[in-house]
């Protein structure tokens, strides 16, 4: 999914997926559950570690494989966490705005 959705007025979660880490598959399952639970109230994005197109994003936010980055609706990074968070924990960590 496109990173240009960050800062579009909607809070966002970005997960840095690494196919070499078992936790990545588990985290994507939990992100899908969270999306199903809250619908369009937040944007859930997955970027693939090692993809040259996302290297500048990863460098800017010091994102590592299995990182979860939480952004406010105006695009400010407000929290970060390492995977694994379940769907409820993901929703709880979303910023208020």
């Amino acid at each position: 999914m496109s990173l240009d959705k960050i800062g579009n007025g909607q809070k966002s979660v970005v997960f840095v997926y690494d196919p070499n880490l078992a936790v990545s598959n588990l985290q994507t399952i939990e992100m899908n559950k969270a999306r199903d639970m809250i619908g369009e109230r937040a944007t859930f994005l997955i970027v693939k570690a090692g993809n040259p197109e996302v290297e500048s994003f990863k460098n800017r936010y010091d994102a590592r494989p299995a990182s979860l980055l939480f952004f406010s609706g105006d695009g400010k990074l407000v929290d970060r966490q390492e995977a694994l968070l379940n769907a409820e924990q993901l929703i709880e960590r979303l910023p208020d705005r």
Side-chain angles (χ1 to χ4, degrees):
M1 300 187 84
S2 176
L3 291 170
D4 64 355
K5 294 184 178 187
I6 297 170
N8 67 355
Q10 190 171 40
K11 47 196 165 191
S12 304
V13 180
V14 178
F15 175 59
V16 182
Y17 178 91
D18 185 333
N20 297 313
L21 298 175
V23 72
S24 287
N25 289 331
L26 297 171
Q27 188 62 69
T28 57
I29 291 168
E30 293 301 319
M31 288 186 67
N32 288 332
K33 287 181 187 176
R35 183 183 300 116
D36 290 344
M37 292 169 69
I38 66 168
E40 300 296 319
R41 293 185 292 169
T43 302
F44 294 88
L45 303 168
I46 298 172
V47 296
K48 188 174 179 183
N51 181 339
E53 295 175 13
V54 298
E55 285 305 310
S56 63
F57 171 84
K58 288 172 28 187
N59 290 335
R60 179 177 179 189
Y61 295 105
D62 192 28
R64 294 177 170 77
S67 291
L68 289 153
L69 303 158
F70 296 82
F71 293 89
S72 63
D74 59 1
K76 293 180 184 167
L77 179 65
V78 295
D79 196 5
R80 70 174 60 239
Q81 183 73 37
E82 296 303 312
L84 176 73
L85 295 180
N86 66 34
E88 292 81 9
Q89 291 169 318
L90 285 168
I91 293 167
E92 287 173 9
R93 292 190 83 93
L94 287 169
D96 292 333
R97 50 184 184 86

